[in-house]
Structures are given as C-alpha cells and as structure tokens.
Amino acid sequence: MNNETPWLQVPAADIDEQARLDAEERQTRLTKPLGSLGLLEPLACRLAGMQGSATPRVDKVQISIFAGDHGVAAEGISRFPQSVTAEMVRNFARGGAAISVLARSLDAQLEVINLGTVTDTGPLEGVLDVRVGPGTANFVSAPAMDVHQLALAMNAGRHSAERARLAGTELYIAGEMGIGNTTAAAGLACALMGLDPRELAGPGTGLDVAGVSHKAEVLRRALAFHKDHLEDPVECLRRLGGFEMAAMSGAYLACAQMGMPIMVDGFISSAAALATARICPSARHWMIFGHASAEPGHRHVLSSLAADPLLDLGMRLGEASGAATAVPLLRLACDLHGRMATFDEAQVSEPE
C-alpha cells in the first residue's frame, strides 16, 4: 500500500441485513414448499442483501475485460506466443471472442481495457488503452510490477467499477486476457496460501505433463526469489501478479466499497479475488462465484475463499466466460423470487 492507492484502506460497504431478512420472509410466502428451489432461494436472498431490496434484479450487467502481457512468458510456460494477447484484444474489438458472444446474448455492457501488451495493437474502437507498460517483468528474477505500475493497474480497475456504478450496473463481472496469466495466478495464489506450486500449476493453454512440471519449477524459483516479501497481500500482487490481476483486484475492492455485487469468474479472477479478500476481508461478502474452472488450482483458491460456485461445466477459457454463463441462473433466481405469486395472491392454502 502506498500514497498512490490510499483508497485500498476504505472498508467494504455493509450488507443490508434487513433487506436479506425481508427476502427470506418472502420466500416463506411463495407458492411452493420452502426450500424446494434449493440453492436458488438463498442466492436470491443474498442478492437482496447486496442490493438493499427484497426483490433484487440483475438486468444491467457490466463485463470488463482487462488485458496485459506477462514477462514470465520468457520461461516457456505457455504453448502460445505473447502476440496472441494483442491478437485477442483485436478479436474482442471485432466482437469475435467467446465473451463478445456471451455479452451480446446477455445484453450486457462489455468494455475491454488494454493495460499493456508486448505487441502494440494501435487504436481500436471499443478498447480503452490504459497502458501501464509493455507487459510485466519476469517475476522469476524481479518484481512483476514496480509500485507505480501496481497503482496504475489497480486504479484502472477502480475506475472501471466507478463507471459501472454510474451506469446503474446491478452486477459487475471482470475477465482477463494475457498469455502466461495462469502461471502468474498460480504464483500469486501460492504466495497468498503458502502452497507448493505442484498443487496449483495446471495446463493453462494446453501444456502436457512435462510442461506443467516445468511451470511448477518456474514458480518454485520465483517464490524462492520473493520469499522474504510475501507477508503483505498487496506486495504479493505486485511481485507475482499481472496488470490484469491487479486491475481486477482494484475493481473488486471498489465494487465492495460502493456496494455493487460481483460475479467472479475462474482461476485467474479468483486469484485476484483472493488477493482482494486478503487486503479487505469484508470485500468477500460482495462476491458470488460463477463457476468451478477445470484448471486444477482453482479448487484450492475456492476453498480458501469458502466459495461455492454456481456452475461446474469443465470450462477453463477465462475472459469472464464462466461467470457470464452463470448470469442466466442468477436472473432466474431473481425472477422466481420476485415474480412468483404468494399464497395470498394466488389464493392457495398455506401449509399447516
């Protein structure tokens, strides 16, 4: 924490317990046996507490994709070249990526923020250029970011959340793009949880067994290099994270401070969420977890966050695709909660 990010010390907003209790009371009056809709019932009640309304809605959804390259790619931890990050940013701009399709299907607002790709994309319509640097440093032998870069990235996330709030957003989703970012997410999570890299290193973009083993060894070297500086979660983020993870963490924290519900995506987004929860524990109350990623390290991060994701579909694309896929379920929970008739309205006899 430094004088460029004093806002990190602001606590999260309080959950509206009365609205949550009112929602729970409404559930007892709906024309169904209590509990018969399973987890959809407490999900709607939890959203009620977040939104301060006994009948919450998630009609206005903001999806923000943060892109940035990683210096650790020089260690050969990905099957894809770093140029793919910039190429995918262009694909987002053209509307051809998975998250582009999902955002259109959900009628969600999609913004793309380029925090620093090795390959210059040039001006792109629909892409906000907030260049922090040409990718992070190789964290095997140096901190991924300097103090100023970390502040710039976290502030970019905060500003994204503020724009969403001003637009009346009811649910905020952050996604990422960056070759090498499963390695950075694993390193960050290892530092925050004190786990061995063998437990969190996974295939990412499709590494074979030997590739995963090499990734774990790269992470061991990085953790050994930074081992005397990993007590503070902000410092963990600076040394082992990426521009996009820092931005997501900043966005999550700002959402929690403003009282805006968050849907967290997969492994990389959850690593950023874990850093956020370590910086501000009460921010965790504002997080809903969209899905369980097939990336093996995700289950460890979810466990540390005591998170119960809504979906488990074997997805591991990133880009906020898993969280976006869970939005219809959240909308259905709200519709059932808010639009089903009560026993009185339907003139149906209540249980004795």
Side-chain angles (χ1 to χ4, degrees):
M1 208 169 298
N2 61 75
N3 57 12
E4 295 184 76
T5 52
W7 59 276
L8 298 187
Q9 301 176 61
V10 177
D14 292 329
I15 298 293
D16 190 330
E17 288 299 324
Q18 187 57 56
R20 184 184 63 79
L21 291 171
D22 289 346
E24 289 180 351
E25 193 275 333
R26 175 176 172 79
Q27 281 288 331
T28 68
R29 296 184 287 111
L30 298 179
T31 48
K32 60 176 179 59
L34 184 61
S36 59
L37 287 174
L39 295 177
L40 294 178
E41 296 180 14
L43 181 59
C45 295
R46 190 173 170 216
L47 266 172
M50 291 177 175
Q51 293 187 357
S53 169
T55 53
R57 304 294 303 164
V58 285
D59 299 320
K60 294 201 71 173
V61 177
Q62 167 77 41
I63 303 172
S64 296
I65 306 299
F66 299 98
D69 272 315
H70 294 260
V72 74
E75 302 293 330
I77 44 73
S78 176
R79 293 179 60 242
F80 287 85
Q82 282 192 298
S83 58
V84 168
T85 305
E87 290 165 1
M88 281 302 299
V89 170
R90 295 188 188 101
N91 194 24
F92 294 143
R94 292 191 296 264
I99 193 57
S100 309
V101 174
L102 288 163
R104 288 194 296 271
S105 179
L106 296 170
D107 195 24
Q109 183 66 36
L110 176 66
E111 70 170 5
V112 181
I113 301 160
N114 186 354
L115 297 161
T117 51
V118 170
T119 304
D120 186 6
T121 63
L124 292 172
E125 186 176 353
V127 176
L128 184 59
D129 196 347
V130 185
R131 190 160 295 273
V132 176
T136 59
N138 184 349
F139 60 56
V140 170
S141 55
M145 292 167 267
D146 63 33
V147 171
H148 182 58
Q149 286 176 320
L150 176 68
L152 288 174
M154 295 194 79
N155 280 321
R158 176 170 66 100
H159 296 151
S160 170
E162 289 171 345
R163 289 192 296 273
R165 185 64 167 176
L166 288 172
T169 295
E170 294 162 328
L171 182 72
Y172 182 91
I173 299 173
E176 37 60 40
M177 178 61 217
I179 295 301
N181 62 10
T182 58
T183 302
L188 175 61
C190 282
L192 292 169
M193 295 189 291
L195 295 179
D196 188 279
R198 288 175 298 181
E199 299 188 69
L200 275 83
T205 51
L207 294 175
D208 58 16
V209 173
V212 174
S213 179
H214 171 66
K215 180 189 284 191
E217 180 55 36
V218 167
L219 288 171
R220 282 192 204 96
R221 289 162 50 204
L223 290 165
F225 179 82
H226 297 287
K227 63 182 175 61
D228 295 330
H229 306 278
L230 301 180
E231 295 299 319
D232 176 21
V234 177
E235 190 67 0
C236 289
L237 192 56
R238 182 177 82 85
R239 288 176 172 272
L240 293 162
F243 294 154
E244 76 276 51
M245 277 170 256
M248 286 192 290
S249 182
Y252 293 150
L253 183 54
C255 284
Q257 291 167 343
M258 294 184 293
M260 185 161 57
I262 304 155
M263 179 88 89
V264 180
D265 192 40
F267 178 47
I268 297 154
S269 300
S270 295
L274 180 61
T276 306
R278 294 294 175 85
I279 295 166
C280 176
S282 57
R284 169 65 183 86
H285 301 309
W286 292 92
M287 300 174 185
I288 298 167
F289 290 79
H291 81 121
S293 171
E295 191 68 16
H298 195 211
R299 61 187 177 88
H300 293 287
V301 178
L302 290 173
S303 177
S304 183
L305 285 161
D308 189 12
L310 301 181
L311 302 176
D312 187 353
L313 301 175
M315 298 174 70
R316 57 180 182 87
L317 174 61
E319 302 177 12
S321 57
T325 300
V327 168
L329 187 63
L330 208 56
R331 286 176 170 171
L332 288 171
C334 290
D335 281 349
L336 287 164
H337 175 80
R339 296 179 177 178
M340 185 183 293
T342 64
F343 286 106
D344 285 344
E345 291 167 344
Q347 298 182 342
V348 172
S349 298
E350 296 190 45
E352 297 180 1

